[in-house]
Amino acid sequence: MEKREQLYEGKAKKVFLTDDPDLLIVSYKDDATAFDGQKKGTIVGKGAINNRMTNHIFKLLEKEGVPTHLVEELNDRETLVKKVEIVPLEVIIRNFSAGSFAKKLGMEEGIKLACPTLEFSYKNDDLHDPFINSYYALALNLATQEEIDTITKYAFTVNKVMREYFASLGIELIDFKIEFGRYHGQIILADEVSPDTCRLWDKETHEKLDKDRFRRDLGNVEDAYQEVFRRLGIQ
Ligand code: ADP
Ligand code: UDP
C-alpha cells in the first residue's frame, strides 16, 4: 500500500489518498483549534495520542458490533482507514450537562441527565455547524431515515461501551461527538474519538481531562491528554 497525494487538510488531521481507491491514510496533527477556528494553538504530543486512542476505542467498538473505518495503525500518527463518504452530521451524545447544552438551558455543568441525549449538528463550517433535528436532515437530503436509524442505534451503543470503559479507568464520559460515513452502502463509524471530541472528567476530582483545558485556558493541557493516554494503558 502506497501513500499518494494529500486529499484534504483539516484543523486536526491531514488525509492522504493511497494506491487503493477504497483506502485513505489519516495523519493526526498536534494543531488545536477552538471556537470555529478562531483560537489556534499546539498541544504537543496530541496527534499521536489521538491516533492511538481512537484506534484502541474503535477496536473495542468493533467487538461490540459497531463497524468502524479502522484498517491498520501504520505508525504513531498515521492510520490506514476505509474511505467513506462522510454523512454531514455531527452526532453528539450527552450524559451530563456541559458546554453549549448547559449554556442554552441555563444549567450548571456536570448535572447528570435523566437519560442520555442525542443531537445532530449540520456539518457545515460556513454555517458554523448549526443544531438540526432528524426532520431537517431528511428534508435537506443529508441522510435517509434508515441511515438516521442506524446512526442513532450505533451512537447509543458507542455511548454505552465508552461510558463503561472510561468508568473502569476512573473517568466520567460527560459528552462526545462522532461522525459516520457510507462505505459500499453501509454506515460505519469514521473520524476520531479522543480528548478533542469527548468531555472526560476524573470521576473523583471532576478535573477536566480534555480539550476544554485548551478552549478555556485552564493550563496543563498536555498533561491532561497524557493522563488519559496513561490510563488507557496502551503506551
Ligand atoms: P475538520 O475537517 O473539521 O477540520 P479534521 O482536521 O479532523 O476535521 O479533518 C479530517 C476530515 O476527514 C474530517 O472532515 C472528517 O469528516 C474526514 N474523515 C474522517 N474519517 C474519514 C474517512 N474514513 N473517510 C473520509 N473522510 C474522513
Ligand atoms: N464537539 C466536537 N466538535 C465540534 C463540536 C463539539 O468534537 O465541532 C464535541 C465537544 O468536544 C463536546 C461535545 O461535542 O465533547 C459537545 O459539545 P458542545 O455542543 O457542548 O459544544 P462546545 O461547548 O464544545 O462548543
Side-chain angles (χ1 to χ4, degrees), residues 4-235:
R4 295 270 168 90
E5 71 265 27
Q6 186 174 300
L7 179 63
Y8 176 77
E9 175 160 8
K11 296 184 285 289
K13 301 189 282 301
K14 293 179 185 176
V15 179
F16 296 88
L17 294 171
T18 69
D19 55 358
D20 184 333
D22 269 345
L23 302 178
L24 294 174
I25 293 173
V26 290
S27 179
Y28 287 72
K29 306 191 288 183
D30 283 355
D31 299 356
T33 65
F35 312 119
D36 254 339
Q38 288 172 53
K39 182 181 170 97
K40 290 192 174 67
T42 302
I43 302 173
V44 176
K46 171 171 91 75
I49 290 174
N50 289 5
N51 179 43
R52 300 195 50 202
M53 172 165 168
T54 297
N55 295 341
H56 180 68
I57 304 262
F58 277 19
K59 280 182 205 158
L60 201 70
L61 291 168
E62 290 267 0
K63 277 194 211 145
E64 302 292 337
V66 179
T68 79
H69 74 174
L70 175 63
V71 177
E72 186 190 1
E73 189 169 287
L74 299 174
N75 55 54
D76 255 17
R77 274 172 199 278
E78 294 184 315
T79 294
L80 188 64
V81 302
K82 293 172 180 162
K83 181 179 196 284
V84 303
E85 181 193 349
I86 291 285
V87 177
L89 295 173
E90 299 202 334
V91 182
I92 295 170
I93 296 255
R94 302 176 189 273
N95 297 306
F96 288 78
S97 63
S100 66
F101 179 94
K103 197 170 172 191
K104 182 160 54 183
L105 297 168
M107 282 167 88
E108 266 176 60
E109 293 200 305
I111 310 289
K112 188 173 180 183
L113 305 178
C115 61
T117 66
L118 179 147
E119 72 199 52
F120 297 122
S121 294
Y122 177 23
K123 198 170 144 62
N124 182 318
D125 278 342
D126 294 338
L127 300 175
H128 314 294
D129 302 338
F131 185 103
I132 60 168
N133 66 22
S134 59
Y135 293 95
Y136 282 34
L138 284 173
L140 297 171
N141 274 322
L142 306 182
T144 65
Q145 184 65 57
E146 194 188 353
E147 287 175 333
I148 291 170
D149 291 345
T150 303
I151 285 171
T152 302
K153 183 185 75 177
Y154 286 157
F156 281 117
T157 304
V158 170
N159 185 45
K160 183 172 184 294
V161 172
M162 290 215 298
R163 203 173 169 184
E164 285 169 11
Y165 179 63
F166 282 119
S168 77
L169 308 177
I171 292 172
E172 195 75 75
L173 177 62
I174 303 295
D175 60 25
F176 62 91
K177 182 270 300 178
I178 48 180
E179 296 180 19
F180 292 88
R182 303 179 182 98
Y183 185 73
H184 296 290
Q186 295 303 114
I187 290 288
I188 66 175
L189 182 62
D191 206 52
E192 67 175 285
V193 173
S194 71
D196 274 13
T197 61
C198 302
R199 285 197 169 93
L200 305 168
W201 293 8
D202 182 274
K203 255 186 179 295
E204 299 301 319
T205 65
H206 299 164
E207 189 190 356
K208 293 178 174 48
L209 300 172
D210 57 57
K211 196 168 143 186
D212 273 345
R213 301 205 75 82
F214 169 78
R215 294 190 188 100
R216 303 177 187 185
D217 294 320
L218 301 177
N220 300 325
V221 185
E222 276 91 359
D223 294 345
Y225 280 69
Q226 290 291 347
E227 177 60 17
V228 174
F229 191 52
R230 189 188 66 74
R231 292 196 201 183
L232 291 169
I234 51 175
Q235 286 89 332

